[in-house]
Amino acid sequence: MARVDTSAKPPFSIVLVNYKTLDLTRICLDLLREPARKAGIPVWVVDNDSADASVEYLRSLDWINLIERDAPTKEPGHIAHGKALDMALARVNTDHLFLMHTDTFVFDPNIFAMMMEHCTRDRNVIAVGCTEQLNRGLPRTVWRFTSRFAKHHFRRLKLSLGLRSREPKPYTETHLKSFCTLWNCRLMKQQGLHFQIDDRVPGYELQDRAIGLGYKVVFLSPGKIFKYLDHVQAGTVAAAGGYGRDHRRTRMYQDILKRFSAANP
């Protein structure tokens, strides 16, 4: 991450939402701390009413902007996340905003400059990101696409013949995933847009409306974006106890914690 003139407005801010993910949040912020401070980049953290040790940890950090949100008890998780992002959106004064998850670990801060370059080259670009949450590699990607393609059209065929079948799911991902996504919040605010618009995943309706307004979205390949970072898919859900103890995503979460503990004894 290049050094910026701290007397001028920073080119972007970073925001992440914490909900009962102390260990992940600590790793995520530890990796961001020095690059963000050196470059003068504001880091915003919205705590979504965790009411646990992660809140005390966040309060102890003097280099972040902490927002503590009182969330309704029966609010769906993705809705709570979207509303938390909108609270940060209302407060940032930069033209661009990086969304991150607490289970996103940036090893190379040059990712920010790489993604920002797409916006500086073309002022009509409103978002830059990736539609995949992990880098599966070419063989797994091809297999996943072909199997989903076949299942999609098989279900459509059964329905057309009047047979019972589940609804066909899309075989390609079309929406950016918010584990590391850059948004032009200046354009968003000009158009009265925000992250939580409907009951879908935050950003999905935003992306559809932005494209409908004529703005561009840049899609980065997993091979490109994962050169700079690692992401524990659904790590935040695993950290909050959303999966069983033997679930593969719980095991992935435990493995990444062990790896970082070994690297930072």
Side-chain angles (χ1 to χ4, degrees):
M1 189 184 299
R3 181 179 292 276
V4 298
D5 180 2
T6 54
S7 64
K9 183 170 73 171
F12 61 87
S13 301
I14 298 171
V15 61
L16 55 96
V17 178
N18 174 74
Y19 179 68
K20 299 181 182 294
T21 56
L22 174 59
D23 293 325
L24 293 175
T25 301
R26 181 182 284 117
I27 296 170
C28 176
L29 290 176
D30 282 349
L31 290 168
L32 287 175
R33 182 174 182 268
E34 286 307 311
R37 292 182 70 172
K38 287 180 180 178
I41 300 301
V43 176
W44 292 80
V45 181
V46 185
D47 179 72
N48 235 341
D49 204 9
S50 298
D52 68 351
S54 64
V55 183
E56 297 304 317
Y57 163 71
L58 292 172
R59 289 172 180 168
S60 72
L61 303 180
D62 61 1
W63 60 277
I64 67 168
N65 301 286
L66 176 61
I67 302 173
E68 297 185 41
R69 178 173 181 263
D70 295 325
T73 55
K74 294 186 178 180
E75 192 173 50
H78 69 286
I79 300 295
H81 190 91
K83 289 183 177 179
L85 292 176
D86 284 333
M87 289 184 72
L89 176 67
R91 288 165 173 76
V92 299
N93 62 1
T94 54
D95 289 343
H96 296 86
L97 183 61
F98 272 94
L99 308 188
M100 291 182 58
H101 289 180
T102 55
D103 56 6
T104 301
F105 306 142
V106 176
F107 298 113
D108 185 349
N110 288 315
I111 188 173
F112 300 112
M114 180 272 290
M115 294 175 70
M116 276 292 299
E117 186 179 357
H118 291 281
C119 291
T120 54
R121 282 204 311 255
D122 187 343
R123 295 185 178 275
N124 203 40
V125 170
I126 197 170
V128 183
C130 183
T131 59
E132 299 290 342
Q133 299 196 62
L134 70 163
N135 185 17
R136 295 180 174 86
L138 183 59
R140 289 179 63 195
T141 298
V142 171
W143 167 250
R144 186 169 187 262
F145 174 82
T146 54
S147 61
R148 292 177 70 172
F149 180 88
K151 185 179 293 185
H152 173 88
H153 286 285
F154 180 65
R155 288 179 177 177
R156 288 188 60 181
L157 176 62
K158 289 178 67 177
L159 290 173
S160 68
L161 295 174
L163 302 175
R164 294 180 59 184
S165 175
R166 294 180 180 179
E167 283 296 316
K169 293 182 179 180
Y171 52 86
T172 57
E173 298 286 350
T174 58
H175 293 97
L176 301 180
K177 302 301 181 281
S178 61
F179 70 92
C180 185
T181 306
L182 171 63
W183 283 94
N184 186 324
C185 51
R186 176 180 57 83
L187 294 179
M188 287 176 58
K189 291 176 180 179
Q190 285 179 0
Q191 297 293 339
L193 298 171
H194 46 275
F195 293 109
Q196 192 61 53
I197 298 176
D198 58 9
D199 60 356
R200 291 192 292 168
V201 172
Y204 282 17
E205 179 64 19
L206 166 62
Q207 179 178 321
D208 292 345
R209 293 194 187 188
I211 292 174
L213 290 169
Y215 293 113
K216 299 177 182 177
V217 173
V218 175
F219 298 93
L220 301 176
S221 69
K224 177 75 170 179
I225 202 168
F226 282 93
K227 291 179 180 177
Y228 302 86
L229 57 78
D230 195 3
H231 176 234
V232 187
Q233 187 183 21
T236 53
V237 179
Y243 299 115
R245 292 179 59 184
D246 296 326
H247 194 282
R248 65 180 180 85
R249 289 181 176 171
T250 301
R251 295 197 300 271
M252 289 171 59
Y253 164 69
Q254 295 295 340
D255 287 344
I256 198 101
L257 292 184
K258 290 177 182 177
R259 188 172 71 179
F260 274 90
S261 296
N264 300 278

